[in-house]
Amino acid sequence: MLQVNNLTKRYEKILAVDNISFEVKAGEIGVLLGPNGAGKSTTIKSIAGLLRFSGEILIDGSSIKTTQAKEVFGYVPESAAAYDYLTVWEHMEFIARAYRLGDGWQQHADHLLTRFELIDKKDKLGKELSKGMQQKISICCALLIKPRMAMFDEPMMGLDPKAIKELKSVLTELKNTGCTVLISTHIIDSIDEVWDRVLIMNRGRVVLSRTRTEVEDNAESLEQIFFAVTEGVAGA
Ligand code: ATP
């Protein structure tokens, strides 16, 4: 479970994230939606431990600042960048060593690289890969640790249709194993089939939080509520 309590982040004079609180439960796919500049990346980077912030962020009850939380957390950043001088396989090995993964990680790595069509590129260096391939490595690295919480920043960007299909299946599988998933995007169509909870951000605040059931019971679409909320027609 992810709990964000009173998260605030300021870049000098700009209040990028303004005292937001939200939860995504274990086995749930949460989606952070919002227009450009809403504060999504700042929120994601704070959760990933890349920014200093005020407030509290907990994964399965442990602060994101603890090793306990970091060990179970997989993160796919918006702009994936592979290490130039590591091969695809060495990326897997690097993660396996850093996270001290036990026996069997090689089979899991093989399986992931096959799913994302990187297995025939196993011996290629990071600098020899396309942007989309680097994005796929980043996804495989995040999944190799069998995360209890996985966060994806604009994950579909740059992926080919086969990889998008595969990633959607992976998201559902993660959810079914009780993993907490958080995705940030502004492309509503890309997550329409998979989300369970939507959090809409605008001007640094979470202006709406709804479950899929609540949205469907009101016969609304994500797109309708997105525009209603971000253009000020509806409240939270
Ligand atoms: P997008 O969809 O365009 O990626 P976003 O919702 O991810 O937008 P953020 O990148 O979190 O938005 O930006 C939130 C606010 O913080 C914006 O006003 C932005 O200009 C500001 N901001 C973001 N990063 C910095 C920074 N490093 N220094 C100063 N201001 C920043």
Side-chain angles (χ1 to χ4, degrees):
M1 179 180 201
L2 167 71
Q3 289 165 285
V4 174
N5 299 323
N6 307 110
L7 172 65
T8 298
K9 173 67 191 175
R10 200 177 264 286
Y11 299 104
E12 297 183 353
K13 285 186 186 152
I14 295 170
L15 184 57
V17 173
D18 183 8
N19 194 30
I20 66 169
S21 298
F22 66 87
E23 281 182 7
V24 183
K25 296 193 170 73
E28 213 174 50
I29 299 180
V31 174
L32 209 50
L33 281 180
N36 295 129
K40 303 180 299 294
S41 290
T42 304
T43 303
I44 291 279
K45 285 181 191 158
S46 302
I47 297 171
L50 301 174
L51 293 176
R52 286 195 184 163
F53 56 85
S54 66
E56 183 184 49
I57 299 173
L58 304 173
I59 294 179
D60 289 343
S62 303
S63 163
I64 186 64
K65 293 172 184 167
T66 63
T67 311
Q68 218 173 343
K70 288 186 210 290
E71 273 175 355
V72 297
F73 175 66
Y75 170 48
V76 179
E78 187 175 9
S79 321
Y83 292 105
D84 279 353
Y85 292 100
L86 289 187
T87 65
V88 169
W89 186 255
E90 284 165 351
H91 279 81
M92 298 288 107
E93 200 174 338
F94 174 64
I95 294 295
R97 285 174 185 239
Y99 285 80
R100 294 191 208 96
L101 301 182
D103 290 344
W105 71 262
Q106 291 92 338
Q107 287 90 326
H108 190 38
D110 249 7
H111 168 75
L112 290 168
L113 294 179
T114 304
R115 283 188 83 165
F116 286 93
E117 299 189 307
L118 284 176
I119 199 75
D120 58 336
K121 316 251 168 350
K122 230 171 151 174
D123 299 320
K124 273 201 180 294
L125 290 174
K127 65 175 187 165
E128 297 171 325
L129 302 175
S130 72
K131 272 283 155 208
M133 289 171 191
Q134 295 188 35
Q135 174 77 353
K136 290 176 181 179
I137 291 193
S138 182
I139 293 170
C140 291
C141 286
L143 297 175
L144 187 62
I145 67 162
K146 299 189 176 164
R148 298 292 306 147
M149 149 110 210
M151 194 164 68
F152 300 83
D153 198 357
E154 296 290 0
M156 315 292 180
M157 294 283 253
L159 293 184
D160 57 39
K162 161 85 170 71
I164 290 177
K165 189 163 170 268
E166 211 55 61
L167 182 58
K168 284 182 182 171
S169 305
V170 163
L171 293 172
T172 308
E173 289 164 27
L174 285 172
K175 163 193 156 98
N176 291 341
T177 59
C179 180
T180 307
V181 180
L182 182 65
I183 304 170
S184 163
T185 187
H186 44 261
I187 306 172
I188 297 174
D189 287 350
S190 68
I191 41 78
D192 218 9
E193 298 155 39
V194 295
W195 68 279
D196 295 304
R197 175 178 298 276
V198 65
L199 301 147
I200 301 186
M201 287 194 75
N202 201 18
R203 296 179 189 155
R205 290 175 166 252
V206 173
V207 290
L208 182 132
S209 168
R210 291 276 191 281
T211 63
R212 187 177 197 107
T213 318
E214 285 166 346
V215 172
E216 287 178 352
D217 284 353
N218 281 335
E220 292 170 314
S221 72
L222 266 191
E223 196 171 41
Q224 279 169 332
I225 59 169
F226 177 84
F227 285 117
V229 172
T230 56
E231 290 176 4
V233 178

